[in-house]
């Protein structure tokens, strides 16, 4: 009994100091879960050489799996075509991909999906989430998240179980509805691995008999992989308080804090001294400055219009000429970090010239299709759209193609054709205060009709 009491006394003594010493693994894991540390690995990226001894050209496409000498799966990251008797190189990433479909059992705030545990030496390296309406965006601890934004958060508990967690309707983030299907794409990697030069690779599957004449071998490691944080490091990390308190101390958060307090701004762009000196050169007056270009709903701020030849003159607004909104914005920034000096520039209206050429079936009226195309572009990229309200953005071709095919069904009918051309100004002359958008005057649409038949069985 005396021995038992002595052992219990020792346990109590350890427990009293555990909040400070954190000697037990369970305490360290609980502390790391509280701090949002997820056991995550980073994959190795390597350059691989392909020698084609066959009699035909071999093309290795992106996303194809290859196997190294130790049975680890790699995915081709850059495509390559190798002519007969020649060699070429491509990049590969050591990872495997698993797709999981989850049906929401009940709609509740902060609904969580537990991810399957990894097997062997594999670690979770990436997660993407989508549903029938599109992709969700990852947002760490719901920082800078508005109500009903489609975001997700990744967290782990004290037993190293990993969860994907969603939001709370009308409070923060998006709350999935009961019965909706969530698709999770999970990437796993073995983290830090050894890969020697000339180490052999092989295709997971042979798609063409000629591929048996292709020899694959490692050239070099481009980016070494990393394992999750070790327990010894976690133990040291748990002794110190978190240094990041989600305050507006980074550039993106100043953008968010301004938009949160001034949601009706027609345009807002926020940038720091590094970006400022990239476009206008070094200057001692830029030290510890935050640069802002904005236009309020009333539109009382000064605005510059870019000429048709693409030229304009940047104009900084003197403090004596600040409007009431600009003064309030400066006060909001100072309230987050009073060490910053705020400088305002006039937004530069830069209409983007877009040319659309389309061919549709004769069953449609060309003028109606033209009007629908214009309407879709102005609604998505017009001066009043969510796209144009944020500075330092650009229009992507793939987004225009997907937008028009979604909004104008005639463009997906049979052999209908669509061509898009964007006349953007040179990126060398791109400035952070530019207000990029499209309007009726900057859109050129040409729609022609033709006899288009859809091949089918009759």
């Amino acid at each position: 009994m005396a021995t038992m009491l002595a052992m219990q006394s020792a346990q109590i003594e350890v427990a009293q100091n555990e909040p400070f010493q954190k000697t037990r693994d369970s305490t360290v894991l609980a502390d790391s879960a509280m701090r949002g540390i997820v056991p995550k690995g980073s994959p190795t990226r390597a350059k691989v050489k392909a020698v084609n001894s066959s009699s035909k050209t071999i093309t290795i496409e992106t996303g194809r799996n290859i196997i190294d000498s130790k049975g680890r799966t790699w995915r081709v990251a850059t495509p390559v075509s190798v002519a007969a008797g020649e060699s070429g190189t491509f990049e590969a990433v050591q990872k495997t991909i698993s797709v999981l479909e989850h049906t929401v059992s009940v709609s509740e705030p902060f609904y969580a999906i537990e991810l399957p545990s990894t097997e062997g030496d594999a670690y979770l390296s990436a997660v993407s989430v989508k549903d029938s309406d599109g992709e969700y965006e990852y947002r760490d601890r719901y920082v800078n998240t508005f109500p009903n934004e489609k975001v997700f958060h990744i967290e782990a508990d004290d037993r190293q179980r990993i969860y994907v967690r969603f939001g709370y309707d009308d409070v923060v983030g998006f709350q999935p509805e009961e019965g909706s299907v969530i698709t999770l794409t999970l990437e796993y990697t073995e983290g830090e691995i050894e890969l020697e030069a000339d180490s052999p690779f092989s295709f997971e599957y042979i798609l063409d008999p000629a591929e048996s004449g292709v020899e694959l071998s490692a050239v070099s490691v481009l980016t070494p992989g990393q394992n999750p944080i070790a327990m010894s490091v976690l133990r040291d990390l748990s002794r110190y308080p978190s240094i990041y308190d989600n305050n507006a101390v980074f550039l993106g958060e100043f953008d968010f804090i301004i938009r949160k307090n001034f949601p009706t701004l027609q345009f807002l762009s926020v940038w720091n001294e590094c970006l400022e000196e990239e476009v206008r050169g070094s200057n001692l007056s830029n030290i510890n400055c935050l640069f802002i270009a904005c236009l309020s709903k009333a539109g009382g701020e000064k605005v510059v219009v870019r000429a048709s030849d693409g030229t304009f003159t940047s104009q900084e607004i003197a403090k004596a000429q600040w409007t009431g909104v600009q003064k309030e914005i400066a006060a909001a920034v100072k309230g987050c970090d009073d060490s910053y000096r705020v400088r305002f520039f006039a937004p530069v209206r830069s209409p983007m010239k877009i040319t659309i050429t389309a061919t549709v079936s004769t069953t449609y009226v060309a003028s109606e299709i033209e009007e629908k195309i214009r309407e879709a572009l102005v609604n998505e990229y017009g001066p009043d759209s969510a796209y144009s309200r944020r500075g330092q953005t650009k229009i992507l071709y793939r987004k225009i193609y997907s937008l028009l095919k979604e909004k104008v069904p005639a463009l997906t009918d049979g052999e209908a054709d669509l061509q898009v051309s964007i006349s953007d100004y040179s990126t060398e002359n791109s400035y952070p205060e530019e207000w990029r958008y499209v309007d009726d005057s900057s859109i050129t649409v040409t729609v022609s009709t033709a006899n288009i038949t859809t091949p089918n069985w009759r």
Side-chain angles (χ1 to χ4, degrees):
M1 291 178 65
T3 302
M4 181 183 66
L5 291 173
M7 294 174 63
Q8 184 180 13
S9 175
Q11 287 185 349
I12 293 174
E13 185 176 358
V14 171
Q16 287 177 337
N17 292 322
E18 185 63 19
F20 310 99
Q21 299 297 326
K22 294 183 174 61
T23 57
R24 297 174 178 172
D25 289 352
S26 58
T27 306
V28 175
L29 293 176
D31 187 87
S32 66
M34 179 185 67
R35 296 177 187 275
I37 299 174
V38 178
K40 173 180 177 292
S42 298
T44 299
R45 191 180 186 96
K47 179 179 288 187
V48 181
K49 181 180 181 181
V51 179
N52 184 8
S53 58
S54 68
S55 59
K56 61 183 296 187
T57 300
I58 300 297
T59 300
I60 304 175
E61 300 288 350
T62 301
R64 189 168 182 183
N65 287 348
I66 58 176
I67 309 296
D68 65 12
S69 59
K70 295 188 178 180
R72 294 177 294 229
T73 301
W74 297 65
R75 287 181 69 88
V76 177
T78 57
V80 65
S81 292
V82 185
E86 297 185 1
S87 63
T89 60
F90 61 92
E91 296 180 10
V93 180
Q94 196 280 302
K95 65 180 180 180
T96 57
I97 295 180
S98 175
V99 178
L100 172 67
E101 288 193 350
H102 176 88
T103 302
V104 178
S105 57
V106 59
S107 180
E108 61 181 10
F110 301 108
Y111 184 83
I113 301 175
E114 182 180 353
L115 302 184
S117 58
T118 58
E119 298 181 358
D121 296 328
Y123 310 110
L124 183 70
S125 63
V127 177
S128 61
V129 181
K130 67 178 181 179
D131 59 15
S132 59
D133 294 327
E135 298 279 346
Y136 287 72
E137 180 182 351
Y138 171 72
R139 202 70 59 83
D140 182 32
R141 289 177 287 187
Y142 305 102
V143 174
N144 300 351
T145 300
F146 286 112
N148 301 319
E149 271 194 282
K150 298 192 71 173
V151 302
F152 68 95
H153 171 56
I154 300 291
E155 63 183 39
D157 62 12
D158 58 341
R159 296 164 62 182
Q160 298 291 273
R161 295 177 298 188
I162 303 175
Y163 299 86
V164 171
R165 193 173 295 277
F166 299 92
Y168 183 10
D169 264 350
D170 300 323
V171 177
V172 62
F174 178 79
Q175 181 176 324
E177 298 179 356
E178 181 179 350
S180 60
V181 178
I182 306 293
T183 302
L184 301 100
T185 303
L186 313 176
E187 296 183 9
Y188 296 95
T189 182
E190 296 189 21
E192 184 179 1
I193 61 176
E194 294 183 0
L195 184 66
E196 298 179 355
D198 298 326
S199 177
F201 283 83
S202 62
F203 292 113
E204 184 179 35
Y205 300 104
I206 297 294
L207 303 180
D208 188 315
E211 291 181 349
S212 58
V214 178
E215 295 183 1
L216 304 177
S217 60
V219 177
S220 61
V221 173
L222 301 176
T223 305
Q226 294 183 4
N227 295 334
I229 300 176
M231 181 62 68
S232 58
V233 179
L234 279 178
R235 181 168 284 106
D236 290 335
L237 189 63
S238 65
R239 298 181 184 183
Y240 305 100
S242 176
I243 60 173
Y244 178 57
D245 60 0
N246 299 335
N247 198 356
V249 293
F250 295 113
L251 179 61
E253 292 166 9
F254 279 115
D255 183 285
F256 174 82
I257 203 71
I258 293 173
R259 292 184 185 278
K260 183 177 181 181
N261 290 293
F262 305 90
T264 61
L265 291 176
Q266 295 186 55
F267 174 78
L268 175 67
S269 179
V270 183
W271 65 100
N272 56 19
E273 59 184 286
C274 294
L275 182 56
E276 171 67 17
E277 294 185 350
E278 286 181 9
V279 297
R280 275 181 277 264
S282 302
N283 195 314
L284 291 177
S285 63
N286 296 334
I287 296 176
N288 208 33
C289 277
L290 197 68
F291 302 86
I292 302 173
C294 67
L295 181 65
S296 64
K297 185 177 181 179
E301 291 75 25
K302 189 173 184 178
V303 177
V304 175
V305 179
R306 183 189 279 271
S308 58
D309 60 356
T311 61
F312 72 94
T313 302
S314 299
Q315 295 188 24
E316 183 176 356
I317 302 173
K319 192 171 183 179
Q321 298 176 340
W322 286 2
T323 65
V325 172
Q326 289 172 330
K327 292 177 181 178
E328 291 178 9
I329 290 175
V333 172
K334 292 285 188 179
C336 299
D337 189 341
D338 60 1
S339 66
Y340 271 108
R341 294 185 294 115
V342 180
R343 294 168 60 183
F344 284 91
F345 277 77
V348 179
R349 286 184 176 269
S350 300
M352 306 290 292
K353 295 183 179 180
I354 298 181
T355 303
I356 305 292
T357 305
T359 303
V360 297
S361 171
T362 52
T363 58
Y364 297 97
V365 179
S367 59
E368 293 181 359
I369 300 303
E370 177 181 340
E371 185 62 29
K372 289 182 179 179
I373 291 175
R374 288 181 175 275
E375 182 181 356
L377 290 174
V378 172
N379 288 342
E380 186 71 17
Y381 301 113
D384 298 326
S385 65
Y387 162 85
S388 69
R389 292 176 62 189
R390 185 180 297 274
Q392 305 170 52
T393 56
K394 63 179 180 179
I395 302 176
L396 302 178
Y397 278 90
R398 62 179 178 83
K399 288 191 175 182
I400 291 185
Y401 278 105
S402 60
L403 170 71
L404 294 181
K405 289 183 178 181
E406 177 186 355
K407 300 296 184 181
V408 187
L411 298 176
T412 61
D413 188 11
E415 300 295 325
D417 193 21
L418 173 65
Q419 295 181 1
V420 179
S421 175
I422 304 175
S423 299
D424 193 0
Y425 301 110
S426 172
T427 55
E428 295 180 356
N429 298 325
S430 179
Y431 288 78
E433 67 266 28
E434 285 189 62
W435 182 3
R436 293 186 176 91
Y437 60 87
V438 298
D439 54 21
D440 280 327
S441 63
S442 65
I443 303 173
T444 302
V445 182
T446 303
V447 179
S448 59
T449 59
N451 289 323
I452 295 173
T453 59
T454 304
N456 57 9
W457 182 85
R458 296 182 182 273

